[in-house]
């Protein structure tokens, strides 16, 4: 991840930059909406507050038009920011640390923490009545790419549980993981919702555990932008933060029917039952924090995990969180401006 050649290739593969429309700075009530080029790491109900903010018009209420694409990886989402093909990306906050330590021309900063735990679930090929993490010893797990948050959380969970001898496959692209498993590869697979529940419903896998519950608090996914973009567009960032916060609040009060209707356009072919099951599963494990702040304790946990997984040297630990984190917009939530 810290290799300059890898990032050069990612930048070369970044999407062609999209034009940005004129901005009407009046909450969207008159004038044109400000277009924000937005990149999400993957499509998952793990990010439900964001989709709610889109479907319920909270971004438009704030004067923003969110032009969304799916990067299929935090590395690609961060590369899009550096290339200027995305204004804001929803990625793992570890990307800001990797970029900062490269000492390049641009730095990235987290400005809103969306999730407080890992969002992946472990599924097995064979039904296990009393799963223990030790059951993974000697088995093969289809996991996520090296250096990604779900891969590091799985590895850290195995270390935490004292489990060794697990063969984790990390070279399958995320869109192809479920297909590889259903084709017979691997004994277990690590997936996000709603794909996890879809495999279970189809009888192709069995639910055995939550990585979020097993590992505990972890700042897995954050909204990130370049320092330059944040400095030049503070009103956009503040409006974006308010819209997402409204989405998270709405999720806590809306009925099941309302939630299913709001999320359905983003998950075509997924039943109302599976959408709601996924939402409740994430709610029950405390996925979406009421306070979207990336705290110092969470940042320390993040860096400890990176070091334990060998993707960050202790000497590269960032002492001043402010170098890669700006929570000033979160602090202003609820305050009269």
């Amino acid at each position: 991840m810290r290799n300059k050649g890898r990032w050069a290739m990612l930048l070369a593969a970044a999407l062609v930059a999209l034009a940005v429309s004129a901005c009407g700075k009046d909450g969207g009530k008159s004038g044109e909406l400000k277009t924000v080029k937005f990149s999400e790491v993957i499509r998952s109900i793990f990010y439900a507050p964001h989709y709610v903010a889109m479907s319920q018009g909270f971004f438009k209420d704030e004067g923003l038009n969110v032009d969304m694409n799916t990067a299929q990886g935090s590395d690609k989402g961060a590369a899009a920011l550096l290339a200027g093909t995305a204004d804001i990306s929803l990625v793992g906050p570890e990307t800001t640390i990797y970029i900062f330590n490269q000492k390049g021309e641009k730095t990235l900063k987290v400005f809103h923490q969306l999730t407080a735990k890992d969002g992946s679930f472990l599924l097995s090929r064979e039904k296990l009545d009393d799963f223990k993490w030790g059951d993974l010893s000697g088995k093969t797990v289809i996991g996520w790419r090296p250096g990604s948050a779900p891969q590091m959380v799985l590895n850290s969970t195995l270390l935490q549980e004292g489990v060794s001898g697990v063969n984790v496959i990390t070279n399958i692209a995320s869109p192809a993981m479920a297909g590889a498993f259903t084709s017979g590869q691997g004994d277990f697979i690590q997936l996000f919702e709603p794909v996890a529940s879809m495999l279970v419903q189809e009888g192709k896998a069995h639910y055995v555990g939550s990585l979020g519950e097993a590992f505990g608090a972890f700042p897995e996914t954050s909204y990130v932008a370049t320092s330059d973009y944040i400095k030049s567009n503070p009103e956009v960032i503040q409006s974006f933060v308010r819209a997402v916060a409204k989405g998270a609040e709405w999720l806590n009060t809306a009925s099941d029917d309302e939630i299913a209707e709001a999320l359905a356009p983003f998950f075509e072919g997924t039943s109302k039952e599976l959408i709601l099951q996924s939402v409740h599963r994430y709610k029950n494990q405390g996925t979406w924090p009421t306070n979207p702040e990336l705290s110092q304790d969470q940042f320390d946990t993040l860096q400890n995990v990176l070091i334990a997984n060998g993707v960050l040297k202790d000497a590269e630990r960032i002492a001043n969180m402010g170098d890669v984190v700006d929570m000033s917009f979160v602090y202003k939530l609820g305050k009269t401006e």
Side-chain angles (χ1 to χ4, degrees):
M1 297 276 297
R2 303 189 307 279
N3 183 282
K4 292 183 179 179
R6 173 172 173 75
W7 281 105
M9 289 189 290
L10 288 170
L11 291 176
L15 299 173
V16 176
L18 301 175
V20 180
S21 66
C23 173
K25 187 182 171 184
D26 55 4
K29 295 179 181 178
S30 65
E32 297 182 22
L33 298 177
K34 169 74 173 182
T35 294
V36 176
K37 297 173 292 182
F38 172 71
S39 174
E40 62 173 353
V41 55
I42 60 170
R43 178 62 53 87
S44 171
I45 290 177
F46 192 41
Y47 313 124
H50 183 91
Y51 309 131
V52 166
M54 293 184 70
S55 68
Q56 300 306 298
F58 297 146
F59 284 117
K60 287 187 177 180
D61 290 345
E62 293 290 341
L64 303 178
N65 170 46
V66 176
D67 185 2
M68 181 168 67
N69 70 76
T70 306
Q72 300 296 356
S74 285
D75 52 350
K76 297 178 180 64
L81 292 175
L82 296 176
T85 59
D87 300 319
I88 295 172
S89 288
L90 181 61
V91 294
E94 70 277 1
T95 57
T96 66
I97 298 173
Y98 298 149
I99 297 300
F100 182 83
N101 281 325
Q102 288 179 14
K103 307 300 181 185
E105 294 181 359
K106 295 184 179 181
T107 58
L108 306 181
K109 283 195 173 184
V110 173
F111 62 85
H112 182 117
Q113 185 62 38
L114 184 64
T115 62
K117 288 187 177 179
D118 179 77
S120 63
F121 300 91
L122 190 68
L123 309 180
S124 64
R125 185 173 302 284
E126 304 296 331
K127 192 176 188 314
L128 300 174
D129 294 325
D130 185 25
F131 172 76
K132 299 177 292 296
W133 289 99
D135 293 338
L136 295 180
S137 184
K139 303 295 184 179
T140 297
V141 179
I142 295 180
W144 295 72
R145 65 173 179 78
S148 66
Q151 182 272 325
M152 291 187 290
V153 167
L154 173 60
N155 187 53
S156 295
T157 300
L158 295 177
L159 292 173
Q160 185 175 275
E161 298 291 332
V163 182
S164 59
V166 184
N167 175 32
V168 182
I169 299 174
T170 60
N171 63 353
I172 300 177
S174 56
M177 289 170 60
F181 185 77
T182 57
S183 296
Q185 191 168 355
D187 304 299
F188 294 85
I189 188 170
Q190 180 187 9
L191 290 172
F192 286 73
E193 293 288 12
V195 181
S197 289
M198 290 176 69
L199 286 194
V200 172
Q201 184 183 63
E202 293 168 358
K204 297 176 180 178
H206 303 273
Y207 175 87
V208 293
S210 161
L211 272 298
E213 292 180 353
F215 184 70
F218 183 73
E220 177 137 333
T221 328
S222 309
Y223 289 104
V224 174
T226 65
S227 300
D228 290 342
Y229 185 84
I230 293 173
K231 183 178 180 180
S232 300
N233 300 274
E235 296 90 355
V236 171
I237 299 296
Q238 191 66 68
S239 295
F240 198 98
V241 166
R242 280 196 298 263
V244 175
K246 289 177 185 176
E249 183 179 0
W250 187 92
L251 266 177
N252 288 327
T253 58
S255 67
D256 281 354
D257 286 342
E258 290 172 327
I259 291 172
E261 182 179 356
L263 296 178
F266 301 94
F267 299 95
E268 294 183 6
T270 304
S271 68
K272 172 182 176 180
E273 175 190 3
L274 286 188
I275 288 175
L276 292 176
Q277 178 178 309
S278 301
V279 169
H280 290 307
R281 183 168 281 172
Y282 281 131
K283 276 188 175 182
N284 291 339
Q285 72 174 30
T287 296
W288 304 304
T290 55
N291 177 13
E293 174 189 358
L294 177 57
S295 68
Q296 183 66 58
D297 285 346
Q298 292 171 328
F299 189 70
D300 291 343
T301 296
L302 173 64
Q303 294 204 97
N304 290 339
V305 167
L306 299 181
I307 292 169
N309 279 270
V311 296
L312 182 72
K313 297 177 181 178
D314 192 60
E316 296 173 320
R317 184 189 292 268
I318 294 179
N320 178 16
M321 186 175 75
D323 288 336
V324 295
V325 176
D326 182 354
M327 288 291 107
S328 63
F329 302 96
V330 168
Y331 297 152
K332 291 179 182 176
L333 286 175
K335 295 182 180 180
T336 303
E337 298 181 2

